[in-house]
């Protein structure tokens, strides 16, 4: 084009700010931001600085330097850092994996409309409202040495002495599954409802049997949602604390990281060590979540055709 | 190549919780035919298609191909292809993967698969888009992928559920011709669901008009167009003037009707109608002419729309009844027109569309040129 180009009129400041998303509605962010700073950012930074300020108490007196508390956690035989992380992962990973995998067929079956669907859904989700303590008490009664399971199995002569189902690894795993499953189920259900059912119908008409429809169409579309569900249920399970004490073996196989941190804080009064353990706990969670997120980023994550 | 001689639908019915969506659909579909199921939403046409596809179990009746039951087979065993209204392309697979899916399920070898996918994509002119994901395509392109995917396996029957309803008007016209061309060149047998009578008339060998789950009429486009069986079908076939009138004289097929301020001579082609009955007179806009002749009456111009080839005029009679007609020239609003329509193009039907066809059906009036 030739000729004079009209000087573009510079839009007003308010207009230019609004184009960058800065307008009066931004004030709505303030309450949340204040809350996050006051109750998350500040305590976190405080804990971080605490963990870098060794208390020099009895427990960790042998270690020196800024990282003494961390060093102590991993090197001190009583804290047994690596062992503790391993024990916690041994609980949290299988529990999260089981919850996600078990949710898929149940959420799938509950996808359609049928009589009693609401009732079934409610029954599956109710454990969310039960505290871990209540679940632990229930487990002790149900799966304990003289609980119903053992008594029934003894009665029908499947076993000859009671199975040890609580006060050990299995008790905590059961508890994590009972409390974590509703979360996984709800999440997987909502991801599943976002997938257009006509995709499976199309696959069926093209000759795909149920397994091919599931593995070739449904699973690839559901996988990112499963990854997210896994991350959330894993984080929930990794911070297990009450059930590790109540239905576990807190001195041995279920001496999980939250418990060790609590002991450092409440029994040894070593706040620096407790903070260091809490930070390590966060880092391990971050590592697992990060790995899953990397895998998730390799998947197809576009539209799934449904209402999602 | 046609995969079968006859597909028989025998009293096929489907109810949802006691509510009948499709009742007693009985017809033979011959190999190579293009059948259109036509009707407004809720008429049962999609239900019929889903029953054929195997996505819905039948409540009554059965479906056979050359005397072999197919309604007991699951969809994956029927060897049908289907184009969904929303296309239902797999969003995580490339265009080529979408098209090859059905071939993979049939364990077609790698080389043969590549050739057939390339052929199918060439047929729908999408060769350059093989590596794209469906989300990166326009509506018309997605629609063509859906068609390629449905025909690449050379299915016995191709089902299409309003495949053009999500496209704009021009694309819809193009695709109409495209689908008809593929149907012919590949020797497909096609069942096509639509609510668009023009689409159905232009594409299908035979039409099935449905209303509230009941078949109203099955026949060739020309049959339905010139001689609809009731005013419901007439409405669908472009008889825009449906006038509530009363028969005043009946002389065999020839019926005189009066009402809405005019009197007309007409014919009852499918029903026996006596004098003094409530009737509906169905007239197509293009059959009404401006000028003197038989069945002359006057009406006042209310709206005149330019349509390129002429004018679509709405005129009102003395009682305020709107008459739709076409005219070669424009007429000013408010002008009193003398209109005429040949009696054999005034189709007289009972007021109740459920009155069964009676009398000497088939004594069809001549088709107006």
């Amino acid at each position: 084009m030739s000729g004079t180009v009209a000087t573009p009129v510079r839009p007003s400041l308010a207009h230019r700010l609004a184009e960058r998303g800065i307008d009066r509605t931004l004030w709505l962010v303030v309450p949340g931001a204040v809350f996050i700073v006051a109750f998350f950012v500040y305590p976190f930074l405080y804990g971080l600085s605490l963990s870098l300020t060794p208390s020099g108490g009895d427990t960790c007196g042998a270690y020196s330097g800024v990282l003494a508390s961390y060093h102590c956690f991993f090197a001190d035989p009583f804290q047994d850092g690596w062992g503790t992380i391993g024990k916690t992962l041994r609980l949290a990973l299988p529990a999260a994996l089981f919850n996600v995998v078990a949710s898929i067929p149940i959420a799938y079956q509950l996808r359609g409309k049928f009589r009693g669907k609401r009732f079934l859904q409610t029954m599956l989700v109710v454990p969310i409202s039960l505290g871990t303590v209540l679940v632990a008490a229930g487990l002790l009664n149900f799966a304990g040495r003289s609980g119903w399971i053992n008594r029934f199995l003894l009665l029908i002569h499947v076993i000859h002495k009671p199975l040890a189902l609580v006060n050990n690894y299995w008790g905590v795993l059961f508890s994590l599954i009972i409390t974590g499953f509703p979360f996984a189920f709800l999440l997987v259900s909502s991801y599943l409802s976002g997938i257009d059912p006509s995709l499976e119908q199309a696959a069926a008409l093209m000759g795909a049997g149920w397994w091919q429809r599931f593995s070739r169409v449904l699973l690839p579309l559901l996988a990112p949602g499963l990854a997210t569900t896994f991350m959330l249920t894993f984080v929930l399970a990794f911070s297990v604390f009450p059930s590790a004490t109540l239905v576990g073996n807190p001195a041995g196989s279920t001496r999980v990281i939250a418990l060790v941190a609590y002991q450092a804080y409440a029994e040894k009064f070593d706040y620096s060590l407790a903070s260091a353990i809490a930070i390590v706990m966060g880092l391990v969670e971050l590592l697992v979540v990060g790995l899953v997120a990397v895998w998730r980023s390799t998947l197809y994550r576009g539209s799934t055709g449904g209402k999602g | 190549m046609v995969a079968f001689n006859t597909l028989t639908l025998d009293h096929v019915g489907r109810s949802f919780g006691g509510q009948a969506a499709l009742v007693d659909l009985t017809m033979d579909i011959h190999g190579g035919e293009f059948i259109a199921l036509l009707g407004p939403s809720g008429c049962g046409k999609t239900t019929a298609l889903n029953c054929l596809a195997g996505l819905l179990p039948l409540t009554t009746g059965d479906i056979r191909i050359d005397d072999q039951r197919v309604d007991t087979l699951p969809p994956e065993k029927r060897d049908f292809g289907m184009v969904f209204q929303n296309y239902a392309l797999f969003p995580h697979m490339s265009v080529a993967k979408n098209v090859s899916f059905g071939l993979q399920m049939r364990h077609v070898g790698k080389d043969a698969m590549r050739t057939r996918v390339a052929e199918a994509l060439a047929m729908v002119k999408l060769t350059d888009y093989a590596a794209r994901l469906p989300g990166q395509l326009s509506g018309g392109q997605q629609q063509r992928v859906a068609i390629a995917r449905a025909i690449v396996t050379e299915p016995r029957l191709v089902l299409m559920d309003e495949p053009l309803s999500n496209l704009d008007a021009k694309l819809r016209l193009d695709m109409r011709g495209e689908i008809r061309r593929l149907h012919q060149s590949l020797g497909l047998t096609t069942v096509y669901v639509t609510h668009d009578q023009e689409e159905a008339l232009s594409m299908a060998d035979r039409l099935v008009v449905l209303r509230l789950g009941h078949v109203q009429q099955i026949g060739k486009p020309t049959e339905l167009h010139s001689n609809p069986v009731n005013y419901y079908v007439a409405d669908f076939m472009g008889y825009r003037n449906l006038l509530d009138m009363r028969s005043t004289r009946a002389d065999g097929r020839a019926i005189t009707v009066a009402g809405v301020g005019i009197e007309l001579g007409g014919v009852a082609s499918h029903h026996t109608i006596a004098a003094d009955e409530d009737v509906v007179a169905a007239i197509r806009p293009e059959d009404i002419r401006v000028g003197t002749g038989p069945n002359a009456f006057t009406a006042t111009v209310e709206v005149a729309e330019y349509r390129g080839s002429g004018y679509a005029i709405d005129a009102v009679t003395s009682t305020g009844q709107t008459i739709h007609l076409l005219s070669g020239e424009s007429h000013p609003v408010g002008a009193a027109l003398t209109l005429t329509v040949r009696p054999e193009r005034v189709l007289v039907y009972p007021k109740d569309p459920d009155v069964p066809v009676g009398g000497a059906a088939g004594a069809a009036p001549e088709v107006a040129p």
Side-chain angles (χ1 to χ4, degrees):
Chain A
M1 242 173 73
S2 64
T4 52
V5 176
T7 324
V9 180
R10 198 170 156 80
S12 72
L13 179 68
H15 186 101
R16 278 176 289 145
L17 287 174
E19 274 193 341
R20 289 162 190 274
I22 300 169
D23 55 22
R24 278 186 306 169
T25 55
L26 207 60
W27 286 108
L28 294 172
V29 176
V30 169
V34 167
F35 187 89
I36 288 174
V37 168
F39 293 97
F40 175 70
V41 176
Y42 172 72
F44 176 77
L45 292 176
Y46 184 79
L48 187 65
S49 83
L50 206 57
S51 75
L52 297 172
T53 325
S55 56
D58 302 345
T59 327
C60 293
Y63 306 93
S64 59
V66 176
L67 293 175
S69 294
Y70 292 90
H71 195 183
C72 173
F73 174 60
F74 287 107
D76 183 58
F78 183 74
Q79 307 304 333
D80 186 21
W82 292 114
T84 304
I85 292 172
K87 281 174 194 165
T88 318
L89 283 176
R90 262 199 297 283
L91 279 167
L93 287 174
L97 200 63
F98 178 88
N99 283 336
V100 171
V101 171
S103 297
I104 301 170
I106 297 175
Y108 184 80
Q109 290 300 324
L110 289 180
R111 185 152 75 143
K113 272 191 188 148
F114 58 89
R115 199 182 289 249
K117 174 177 176 173
R118 190 170 285 261
F119 175 77
L120 265 174
Q121 271 178 333
T122 311
M123 292 316 290
L124 286 167
V125 173
V126 155
I128 251 183
S129 66
L130 307 175
T132 33
V133 177
L134 195 63
V135 170
L139 264 177
L140 287 172
N141 275 321
F142 183 66
R145 289 187 83 78
S146 55
W148 299 342
I149 292 186
N150 275 319
R151 278 202 262 171
F152 176 72
L153 291 179
L154 283 169
L155 189 72
I156 59 169
H157 297 291
V158 172
I159 53 173
H160 299 290
K161 58 177 188 163
L163 296 173
L165 296 173
V166 288
N167 300 119
N168 59 12
Y169 171 84
W170 294 106
V172 181
L173 189 68
F174 291 145
S175 157
L176 287 177
I177 286 170
I178 291 169
T179 47
F181 177 79
F183 270 107
F185 167 72
L186 281 178
L187 283 165
V188 171
S189 295
S190 78
Y191 282 113
L192 207 54
S193 72
I195 298 176
D196 183 353
S198 69
L199 296 179
E200 273 172 274
Q201 297 180 340
L205 273 148
M206 283 186 269
W210 76 267
W211 172 249
Q212 288 157 323
R213 298 202 287 272
F214 175 75
S215 63
R216 303 282 307 268
V217 178
L218 200 63
L219 196 58
L221 293 173
L222 195 57
L226 296 180
T228 307
T229 309
F230 177 85
M231 292 190 243
L232 288 171
T233 45
F234 167 77
V235 168
L236 273 178
F238 193 77
S239 55
V240 56
F241 176 55
S243 56
T245 326
L246 296 168
V247 286
N249 172 17
S253 61
T254 70
R255 190 166 177 268
V256 293
I257 190 162
L259 195 64
V260 175
Y262 175 76
Q263 284 170 345
Y265 155 79
E267 289 169 16
K268 311 254 189 279
F269 303 109
D270 191 333
Y271 297 164
S272 175
L273 177 61
S275 301
I277 298 172
I279 298 285
V280 169
M281 188 170 156
L283 288 176
V284 174
E285 288 176 347
L286 212 58
L287 182 73
V288 172
V289 167
L291 285 176
V292 178
V294 166
W295 172 68
R296 185 177 181 272
S297 70
T298 64
L299 302 170
Y300 170 82
R301 277 169 306 155
S303 138
T304 48
K307 62 183 173 177
Chain B
M1 188 212 74
V2 169
F4 60 86
N5 289 321
T6 315
L7 184 149
T8 308
L9 294 156
D10 195 355
H11 295 283
V12 170
R14 169 71 202 186
S15 311
F16 294 100
Q19 189 102 19
L22 182 69
V23 184
D24 269 352
L25 173 58
T26 298
M27 71 179 295
D28 283 347
I29 297 171
H30 308 293
E33 250 190 325
F34 196 121
I35 302 284
L37 302 180
L38 181 62
S41 54
C43 74
K45 57 191 193 298
T46 298
T47 304
L49 200 74
N50 286 338
C51 284
L52 261 173
L55 300 174
L56 281 176
L58 307 187
T59 311
T60 62
D62 57 55
I63 303 171
R64 298 183 301 272
I65 290 182
D66 292 338
D67 290 320
Q68 229 181 349
R69 282 287 286 269
V70 293
D71 58 298
T72 47
L73 296 175
E76 61 265 30
K77 298 266 165 63
R78 293 194 184 193
D79 191 18
F80 292 173
M82 183 155 171
V83 179
F84 289 75
Q85 186 170 8
N86 63 358
Y87 316 141
L89 300 179
F90 304 132
H92 58 299
M93 294 185 198
S94 68
V95 167
K97 286 260 169 59
N98 263 284
V99 176
S100 64
F101 188 87
L103 298 172
Q104 280 181 19
M105 295 302 124
R106 285 165 176 74
H107 306 293
V108 173
K110 267 223 158 75
D111 292 333
M113 181 144 70
R114 212 168 300 132
T115 327
R116 285 172 69 174
V117 169
E119 277 172 10
L121 287 178
M123 241 178 308
V124 295
K125 305 187 182 86
L126 281 176
T127 305
D128 297 341
Y129 296 86
R132 300 263 188 107
L133 288 177
Q136 300 167 315
L137 301 181
S138 71
Q141 290 166 335
Q142 291 187 25
Q143 151 51 259
R144 302 215 296 270
V145 177
I147 292 174
R149 194 175 72 164
I151 60 177
V152 71
T153 57
E154 293 169 9
R156 297 196 280 183
L157 181 67
V158 178
L159 307 168
M160 299 200 184
D161 187 4
E162 308 211 24
L164 306 184
S165 61
N166 290 335
L167 302 181
D168 62 61
K170 186 184 167 331
L171 205 51
R172 205 156 23 192
L173 275 179
D174 294 346
M175 287 307 298
R176 226 195 252 175
E178 206 75 341
I179 290 174
R180 180 71 218 190
R181 186 177 61 77
L182 286 172
H183 167 85
Q184 276 162 345
S185 62
L186 298 177
L188 302 172
T189 309
T190 307
V191 176
Y192 187 101
V193 159
T194 180
H195 60 259
D196 182 338
Q197 52 101 2
E198 218 184 301
E199 213 169 280
L201 286 170
S202 65
M203 297 169 84
D205 296 319
R206 278 197 298 156
L207 305 181
V208 180
V209 181
L210 290 159
R211 173 179 156 265
L212 301 175
H214 292 264
V215 172
Q216 304 293 297
Q217 193 168 7
I218 301 179
K220 294 196 169 80
T222 49
E223 276 168 33
L224 267 70
H225 195 242
S226 60
N227 195 13
V229 76
N230 58 29
Y231 78 81
Y232 175 84
V233 179
D235 188 14
F236 246 98
M237 289 298 129
Y239 290 72
R240 284 191 67 208
N241 297 296
L242 296 175
L243 309 174
D244 282 322
M245 301 176 95
R246 213 164 160 79
S247 58
T248 52
R249 209 168 57 238
D251 178 13
R253 304 270 125 220
I255 313 289
T256 307
V257 292
V260 300
I262 56 179
E263 191 179 57
L264 298 171
V267 291
S269 54
H270 290 277
H271 301 84
T272 309
I273 288 174
D276 216 25
E277 279 183 34
D278 281 332
V279 297
V280 173
I283 313 168
R284 280 208 302 247
E286 51 269 44
D287 288 331
I288 301 178
R289 304 254 153 85
V290 179
T292 50
N295 280 338
F297 61 98
T298 56
T300 313
V301 176
E302 202 176 50
V303 180
E305 281 175 32
Y306 181 54
R307 285 281 170 87
S309 57
Y311 292 83
I313 292 176
D314 286 0
V316 289
T317 64
S318 58
T319 60
Q321 170 72 46
T322 303
I323 306 282
H324 306 283
L325 64 134
L326 300 178
S327 167
E329 62 248 51
S330 179
H331 297 279
V333 171
L337 298 180
T338 302
L339 304 174
T340 173
V341 52
R342 286 158 58 199
E344 65 268 27
R345 296 313 303 149
V346 178
L347 307 185
V348 182
Y349 297 105
K351 176 86 180 109
D352 179 359
D354 289 328
V355 169
V357 171
E366 281 175 53
V367 181

